[in-house]
Amino acid sequence: MRWLAVVFALFPLPALAEFFTLKGHGGPIMGIATAPDGRIATASFDNSVGLWSDRRPEWLEGHEAAVNSVAFNGRAIYSAGDDFTLRRWPGGEVVGRHKGKIVGLATSKTRVATASWDGTIGIWPEDGLPKQTLMVGSGVNAVVFSPDGSTLYSAGMDGALRVWDVSSGQETLRLIEHGFAINELVLNAKDNWIAYGAVDGVTRILDLTTGEERDFTLGRRPILALTLSPDRRLLAVGDGEGYIMVIDTLEWRIAQDFRATLRGPVWALAFSVDGQNIHAGGIDKAMYSWPVAGLDKQEQMASDEPSFLKNPDEMSNGERQFTRKCSICHSLTPDSQRRAGPTLHGIFGRTAGTLPGYFYSDTLQDSDIVWNDKTINALFDEGPDHYIPGSKMPMQRITQAQDREDLIDFLRQATTSRN
């Protein structure tokens, strides 16, 4: 049997795929990327990027709002989000800035492309050349480079799938006029097709040689994530109803259709480097990774129900207002629990923008607001965008005076009685 040991030494068996989770974020997982060495990067609503080696995190902090997308490019990591910035790690320096949220990233050997809701695509060269701005005119959701970096594909809110010449910055072709917003793109250049997923649930694969389209639409909407396996055999699709559909691109059939979460969407997908696992993020604060084989037999996401999905009949009106408007960003404990916003513990009597360890907007840091019944009421009566223009707080109001009063009563009790 000595020959068998020699064979195993020369050709070791691959590690068996296993289910695992990456926990530590304080908000939903919005983007996932994998590196050739096995590292995983996660972009989160908690304003941070998690860099995972051997399932242990290093936190990349610097974004001032939710991080939507992350990508490896050689030794660098790029991330972008709701603070309008593109950042490069290590260091977190701002290397690009839009006038609206950045929701998509693509990298080539020499450039990074950003898709922004300000109606433009940013091309940010790594060699110090001037940046390019490609004018689309409506929000851009997704971008992807050709392998040589000379061509860029984009899609967005107007439902058009565009082709760009990167050197000139000119649109050269419009492949699709879908009519509904296209959210996601995946390019398979070796087999010469591109896949797209749209807000109306359409999932299609376009042959770039013949123009033929294959339709895998299942009527679930919107499509929020697409990813291709390293061997190009499997295309995974995540949607707003919590499913992951896996398409076999050799036999052109749906191989698996897994309900990944009972409540909430699948926002992010990526295959492991060896293709054995599929990583996913959603409304839960953890990244889940399942073996691709037997996906439908695996544990679902969000096993611990987020507070904002609790049965409203089990809560007081004040707690209902908190869970709907505040809980995804703020904790009530002394620990902020890596949420997108600072903890509300001890908020009454606290000057706005002063809690140590949180990256506040300049507007809030420079204000003279002290949080009390009157100022909290005004915040939700007028809406953060009017009460504190320039704040990072999302645009929302509580229009009924009784609802605001009940929220304030709940916050006073919940933020002063906890240790």
Side-chain angles (χ1 to χ4, degrees):
M1 299 296 289
R2 183 176 298 175
W3 65 270
L4 192 58
V6 172
V7 169
F8 284 160
L10 292 174
F11 305 101
L13 293 173
L16 294 176
E18 63 176 356
F19 168 80
F20 66 91
T21 60
L22 299 180
K23 295 184 177 181
H25 276 295
I29 308 300
M30 310 300 292
I32 303 170
T34 56
D37 60 7
R39 289 177 300 160
I40 299 171
T42 49
S44 174
F45 193 85
D46 68 3
N47 303 358
S48 70
V49 174
L51 179 59
W52 306 81
S53 299
D54 297 324
R55 304 181 191 177
R56 293 189 296 270
E58 174 188 352
W59 300 112
L60 308 182
E61 308 278 8
H63 280 283
E64 297 179 355
V67 188
N68 297 318
S69 191
V70 62
F72 288 96
N73 198 31
R75 295 185 178 181
I77 302 170
Y78 289 88
S79 61
D82 284 3
D83 61 356
F84 307 173
T85 67
L86 169 68
R87 294 174 184 265
R88 180 170 56 213
W89 309 91
E93 63 179 313
V94 176
V95 294
R97 189 181 296 273
H98 279 269
K99 295 180 180 179
K101 295 180 180 182
I102 304 173
V103 295
L105 279 181
T107 62
S108 70
K109 292 182 179 179
T110 59
R111 295 175 172 89
V112 180
T114 47
S116 175
W117 284 0
D118 68 3
T120 69
I121 299 166
I123 306 289
W124 314 90
E126 294 189 323
D127 55 9
L129 294 173
K131 71 143 186 170
Q132 295 170 271
T133 301
L134 311 185
M135 304 301 297
V136 178
S138 61
V140 188
N141 293 325
V143 285
V144 59
F145 279 107
S146 62
D148 65 3
S150 65
T151 301
L152 185 76
Y153 299 82
S154 73
M157 295 181 183
D158 64 357
L161 202 170
R162 292 174 165 86
V163 184
W164 304 82
D165 176 72
V166 174
S167 62
S168 68
Q170 298 299 308
E171 179 182 341
T172 60
L173 186 62
R174 207 165 286 196
L175 293 172
I176 296 291
E177 295 278 7
H178 179 58
F180 291 88
I182 297 176
N183 291 334
E184 296 289 331
L185 293 176
V186 162
L187 174 66
N188 180 352
K190 288 187 177 180
D191 300 319
N192 209 34
W193 56 253
I194 191 166
Y196 64 96
V199 71
D200 61 344
V202 160
T203 304
R204 291 181 182 147
I205 298 173
L206 173 67
D207 188 304
L208 294 173
T209 302
T210 67
E212 177 188 1
E213 283 194 282
R214 300 180 186 272
D215 196 327
F216 292 92
T217 302
L218 293 181
R220 297 191 295 258
R221 55 188 182 183
I223 302 305
L224 299 172
L226 289 177
T227 191
L228 185 65
S229 63
D231 62 4
R232 313 189 313 282
R233 176 164 184 166
L234 300 176
L235 177 72
V237 185
D239 63 46
E241 297 181 32
Y243 285 83
I244 299 174
M245 172 176 62
V246 181
I247 300 169
D248 185 324
T249 64
L250 295 183
E251 299 182 3
W252 296 117
R253 64 181 180 88
I254 297 175
Q256 299 191 66
D257 192 29
F258 170 52
R259 183 148 200 181
T261 174
L262 288 174
R263 303 180 75 173
V266 175
W267 271 314
L269 289 173
F271 280 94
S272 60
V273 175
D274 61 11
Q276 293 193 54
N277 273 45
I278 187 164
H279 311 319
I283 209 164
D284 200 7
K285 295 179 287 187
M287 191 207 82
Y288 284 66
S289 183
W290 299 278
V292 175
L295 189 62
D296 58 350
K297 299 179 178 64
Q298 302 297 324
E299 176 184 343
Q300 292 175 315
M301 294 170 62
S303 53
D304 297 326
E305 185 175 69
S307 61
F308 49 85
L309 294 180
K310 286 174 60 177
N311 185 343
D313 294 335
E314 299 175 358
M315 297 180 283
S316 67
N317 184 44
E319 186 178 3
R320 279 197 297 271
Q321 300 304 319
F322 171 77
T323 58
R324 291 170 177 169
K325 301 292 185 178
C326 312
S327 65
I328 195 170
C329 294
H330 300 280
S331 71
L332 298 170
T333 62
D335 180 2
S336 66
Q337 300 178 351
R338 299 197 58 79
R339 300 287 177 87
T343 176
L344 301 184
H345 181 78
I347 190 172
F348 287 88
R350 188 166 76 208
T351 302
T354 60
L355 191 69
Y358 181 76
F359 294 100
Y360 288 95
S361 63
D362 293 339
T363 299
L364 205 57
Q365 284 184 322
D366 296 338
S367 75
D368 56 1
I369 296 171
V370 176
W371 296 118
N372 53 38
D373 293 30
K374 181 179 179 181
T375 54
I376 294 173
N377 180 76
L379 176 71
F380 287 105
D381 183 20
E382 300 177 26
D385 49 320
H386 291 288
Y387 188 62
I388 317 171
S391 166
K392 295 186 297 181
M393 294 182 66
M395 295 179 287
Q396 57 184 340
R397 295 180 60 209
I398 299 176
T399 57
Q400 299 298 315
Q402 186 62 55
D403 290 341
R404 297 195 300 273
E405 183 177 335
D406 290 345
L407 171 63
I408 291 166
D409 288 343
F410 170 76
L411 287 175
R412 185 175 293 281
Q413 183 276 328
T415 62
T416 58
S417 63
R418 296 169 180 251
N419 295 319

